Amino acid sequence: RLELLLSSTRTVYCVSTIAFPGCGKTTTCMILANLFSNWTHIQNDNFPNAKAFYTEIINSFLENDVVFVDRMNYRLNYRHELVSSISQYRASSLPDVEIKHVGLNFMRSNDQLRALEIAKERILLRGDNHQSVKAATSEVQALALLRDTAKQFERPQLKSEEDELPVACLGSQLRGYDSAYTLLINLDVDDDHLSLVNAQIIYEQLRIHFPQLASQPVIEQSWTAAYERAMAYKPTFEKK
Ligand code: IDP
């Protein structure tokens, strides 16, 4: 009865990325958000400050069941800041919903080498076609950002001794602040794991863990259409 009394009207999913630039965060999140009208995607790079970013996330939960939150979150502290800011901001304006956090860790493997090569190629190819990383105008700066974020990257760690991260694990299996995730999905960035494959892995894991959320298999044509739209994306906002 207590459970009934305290039960929320709706569960929403805050699906946030953990990656360095060029891993395909934006593309992967966009592919998934393109599949359903009540799934959406919010990029930190489209907002001038944290208040605007978090306000948009909270507002998005009113009409969406899944909000992909696209930010690097490559350090444990940033992930903690995201989760705690969302709970602060929701307190003032969001009615009774339960927010579950799902992490998308693009660095499943300990070996960053191939992922870094791919990210570098993509960043250079993307050129100035990004809100803040302008690889055509200032290549040195763009590559320094990649190097610095990769160096400082704090991979989620299991509590148990084993080093290999499974494709999916529960927050209770993770160390420290990462235990705030209900589910962590671990992805690779390599020649076999381009953004479409990663989006499909994420969808499959959401289906396994939250069947009510992703109840139907997605047909091939829908994947292709969602992918093509995501790959054609060009940002319009300039972030200083
Ligand atoms: P990021 O958000 O992690 O920085 P994105 O902007 O999604 O990464 O991707 C970086 C660049 O690589 C973009 O120009 C994007 O179109 C391209 N890209 C992303 N995924 C793929 C892929 O699977 N194959 C080829 N190019 C991709």
Side-chain angles (χ1 to χ4, degrees), residues 20-27 70 122 126 194-196 227 231:
F20 45 72
C23 286
K25 298 183 294 301
T26 301
T27 309
D70 178 351
R122 285 181 181 167
R126 186 172 66 188
L194 300 177
S195 296
L196 180 58
Y227 175 72
M231 286 298 287

Side-chain angles (χ1 to χ4, degrees), residues 67 73 77 79 95 106 111-112 129 135 139 147 157 161 173 175-176 192 194 205 211 230:
V67 177
N73 299 317
N77 265 342
R79 309 200 277 274
F106 283 73
D111 177 12
Q112 296 186 338
N129 213 355
E139 182 175 321
R147 192 189 52 232
Q157 304 275 319
E161 287 304 308
Q173 295 173 269
R175 290 197 196 165
D192 298 325
L194 300 177
Q205 290 302 322

